[in-house]
Amino acid sequence: MRKLLVVLGVCLLTTTSIMAEAPRLGIGVSGGSEIPIAQDDQSAGSIFEFRAQLRVLPIIQLEPKLWITKYGSPDFAEFDFDIDGSKITGFGLDATLGNNMGESGVRPFFVAGLGFYKATNDDLGAMDDTGSRFGGSGGVGLAIGLTPNVAFDVRSKLHVTTVDGGGSRKALAITGGLNYCFGGK
């Protein structure tokens, strides 16, 4: 019984100290490359992300975000078309585990997210699937806190998007960027 009371007391003290810490706010921007996986109709392109950051617990951070991907031209060996790649615009919410915003030092973390994506392609017009689609992402990252307020952030995430008729599109995004925390330690 004494051990149970000690464990409960430690849990209560830990929870109280975690909840007493005020949430931190930040912003981030990143850019990089998005590489389609098993897709012949797109080639690698660029991705840019803009995110707000809210640290809700010392190890959990929520990141509402907007991103834009511009794929390269498809590479069909048997056809000689001059078609631009699709443009993807999306918004969603990522959650990171271990990315302690507002601290100096090196911090590896996990990231997972959900969002809505819209694909457009001016060259394909009406033939293109331009409706909004649901998707998810997951991956790993590394944050390097240069100061308590500024961190360099590198991420690698797998994006999976639903498509009409079942199935999905997959792409690997590799990004790097800067985060700014308002009110670091």
Side-chain angles (χ1 to χ4, degrees):
M1 181 67 160
R2 181 177 276 177
K3 289 180 183 179
L4 178 63
L5 289 175
V6 169
V7 169
L8 288 175
V10 169
C11 289
L12 181 63
L13 288 173
T14 304
T15 304
T16 305
S17 67
I18 288 173
M19 297 307 285
E21 186 174 326
R24 291 210 172 109
L25 298 174
I27 56 172
V29 62
S30 60
S33 183
E34 185 147 13
I35 305 156
I37 298 172
Q39 295 179 46
D40 293 336
D41 62 343
Q42 309 287 340
S43 64
S46 59
I47 181 171
F48 296 96
E49 296 181 338
F50 307 94
R51 62 185 160 267
Q53 297 173 312
L54 172 64
R55 185 171 127 178
V56 292
L57 292 174
I59 62 168
I60 298 176
Q61 186 169 289
L62 298 178
E63 299 178 346
K65 68 178 193 162
L66 166 72
W67 68 97
I68 300 166
T69 298
K70 177 68 172 110
Y71 284 113
S73 299
D75 187 19
F76 295 115
E78 58 275 355
F79 298 105
D80 187 22
F81 291 120
D82 187 22
I83 298 174
D84 287 338
S86 296
K87 179 180 176 184
I88 309 290
T89 304
F91 62 92
L93 179 68
D94 280 353
T96 64
L97 177 64
N99 187 6
N100 298 337
M101 172 177 46
E103 295 180 8
S104 298
V106 177
R107 303 177 307 273
F109 61 90
F110 295 100
V111 60
L114 297 173
F116 290 94
Y117 307 73
K118 183 170 181 158
T120 58
N121 189 317
D122 294 337
D123 288 341
L124 298 178
M127 294 173 24
D128 194 26
D129 178 19
T130 60
S132 291
R133 299 284 174 239
F134 180 74
S137 63
V140 295
L142 183 69
I144 302 169
L146 305 173
T147 71
N149 295 87
V150 178
F152 178 69
D153 182 305
V154 178
R155 299 175 188 215
S156 176
K157 295 191 307 186
L158 176 66
H159 290 161
V160 180
T161 308
T162 60
V163 294
D164 277 341
S168 63
R169 291 185 173 262
K170 298 164 193 71
L172 177 65
I174 301 169
T175 61
L178 291 175
N179 299 322
Y180 181 81
C181 174
F182 301 102
K185 283 186 176 180

